[in-house]
């Protein structure tokens, strides 16, 4: 009997430690308004309208959707909007975002169209607070502090709704320490199955199961939706922490996300009411 009680006590202790490690933050009042929107992944893009372009953001806003976009810190300290650091896929040209200046962006055509890589300030001017933004910070090496600070400075005085997320917990920790009122989110994926570069197995395990959330206490967990059954994601849901699903690619997935109270980030189809 004594051994059983000891084992039970050890199990309860481990469970409490686990919940401490993975739990997000509840109660940020800024999150309430963001919940009522659905978000177009990289804007509402498609044939002739490239992802992360001003045209895609304009189309999403006109259709009544919020916008998800990606920010990189450029060489001159400006912010450029692009998913990949490497430019080949989206522009057909060699180069990296972090090597460019704001002036360089206009020489990079997106998908062979007249659209070019936007600066973040152009997006803010275009939207003017009309629809909310989910802003992903794309770090490069150790620029996480400068990237987070520069993004927050760019948003000073902006009256629209927005939140900031990143795969890099160092960005989210910076927000926790320096801009605690901003709605912040931890992006993650099942990196035990998905591509994760040269990351070690222990690091992939920590990130997959959100074990660094004790350092960041995110307001929401943004997780790759096909892996929504992840134990730590489910536990956060039971604890009342908001969950965001990326990337929703069908009406069926969208209906599931709506039913479960996830904020959906969608791509590749037009959502039905």
């Amino acid at each position: 009997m004594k051994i059983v009680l000891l084992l039970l006590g050890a199990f309860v202790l481990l469970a409490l430690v686990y919940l401490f490690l993975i739990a997000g933050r509840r109660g940020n009042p800024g999150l309430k308004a963001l919940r009522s929107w659905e978000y177009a992944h990289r804007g509402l893009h498609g044939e002739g309208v490239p992802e992360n372009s001003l045209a895609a953001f304009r189309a999403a806003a006109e259709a009544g959707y919020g916008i998800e976009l990606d920010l990189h810190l450029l060489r001159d300290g400006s912010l450029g909007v692009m998913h990949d650091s490497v430019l080949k896929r989206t522009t057909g040209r060699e180069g990296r975002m972090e090597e460019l200046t704001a002036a360089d962006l206009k020489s990079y055509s997106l998908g062979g169209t007249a659209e070019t890589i936007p600066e973040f300030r152009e997006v803010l001017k275009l939207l003017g607070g009309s629809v909310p933004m989910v802003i992903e910070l794309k770090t490069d090496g150790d620029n996480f502090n400068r990237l987070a600070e520069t993004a927050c400075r760019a948003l000073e005085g902006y009256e629209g709704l927005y939140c900031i997320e990143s795969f890099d917990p160092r960005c989210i920790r910076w927000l926790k320490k320096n801009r605690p009122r901003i709605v912040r989110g931890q992006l993650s994926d099942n990196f035990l199955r998905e591509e994760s570069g040269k990351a070690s197995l222990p690091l992939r395990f920590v990130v997959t199961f959100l074990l660094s959330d004790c350092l960041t206490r995110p307001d929401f967990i943004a997780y790759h939706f096909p892996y929504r059954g992840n134990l730590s994601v489910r536990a956060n849901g039971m604890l009342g922490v908001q969950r965001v699903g990326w990337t929703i690619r069908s009406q069926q997935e969208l209906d599931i996300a709506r039913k479960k109270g996830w904020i959906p980030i969608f791509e590749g189809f037009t959502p039905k009411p």
Side-chain angles (χ1 to χ4, degrees), residues 194-216:
E194 297 292 333
E195 174 63 37
S196 55
K198 298 179 180 179
S200 65
L201 178 60
L203 179 58
R204 286 186 282 134
F205 184 87
V206 166
V207 174
T208 293
F209 289 100
L210 306 172
L211 299 179
S212 64
D213 281 10
C214 58
L215 303 176
T216 60

Side-chain angles (χ1 to χ4, degrees), residues 7 27 29 33 91 93 227 242:
L7 289 173
T91 70
R93 294 176 56 186
Y227 300 114
Q242 179 64 52

Side-chain angles (χ1 to χ4, degrees), residues 25 28-32 34 162-165 175 179-185 219-220:
R25 178 174 69 162
N28 188 331
L31 188 58
K32 183 177 180 180
L34 292 165
Y162 64 88
C163 60
I164 298 178
E165 63 180 13
L175 292 171
R179 298 292 191 279
R181 293 185 179 181
I182 290 178
V183 178
R184 59 182 185 264
D219 297 300
F220 63 90

Side-chain angles (χ1 to χ4, degrees), residues 23-57:
R25 178 174 69 162
R26 295 178 297 174
N28 188 331
L31 188 58
K32 183 177 180 180
L34 292 165
R35 286 194 184 107
S36 61
W37 291 78
E38 295 176 348
Y39 296 82
H41 190 233
R42 309 177 196 173
L44 202 59
H45 58 91
E47 186 67 30
V49 181
E51 64 181 61
N52 271 324
S53 66
L54 291 179
F57 300 143

Side-chain angles (χ1 to χ4, degrees), residues 121-164:
R121 63 178 182 83
E122 293 178 301
V123 177
L124 296 180
K125 182 178 180 181
L126 172 71
L127 298 180
S130 59
V131 297
M133 295 180 292
V134 176
I135 302 165
E136 180 181 346
L137 301 183
K138 294 281 192 176
T139 57
D140 184 64
D142 292 326
N143 74 347
F144 54 93
N145 282 338
R146 290 187 298 120
L147 174 59
E149 183 177 8
T150 303
C152 288
R153 283 205 313 267
L155 288 160
E156 288 176 358
Y158 185 72
E159 296 183 355
L161 296 172
Y162 64 88
C163 60
I164 298 178

Side-chain angles (χ1 to χ4, degrees), residues 13 34 61 69 73 99 103 140 177 196 238 252 256 264 266 269:
L13 179 60
L34 292 165
L69 56 83
L73 185 65
E99 297 169 350
D140 184 64
K177 179 180 179 180
S196 55
M238 289 186 287
Q252 181 181 15
I256 294 171
F266 71 90
F269 70 103

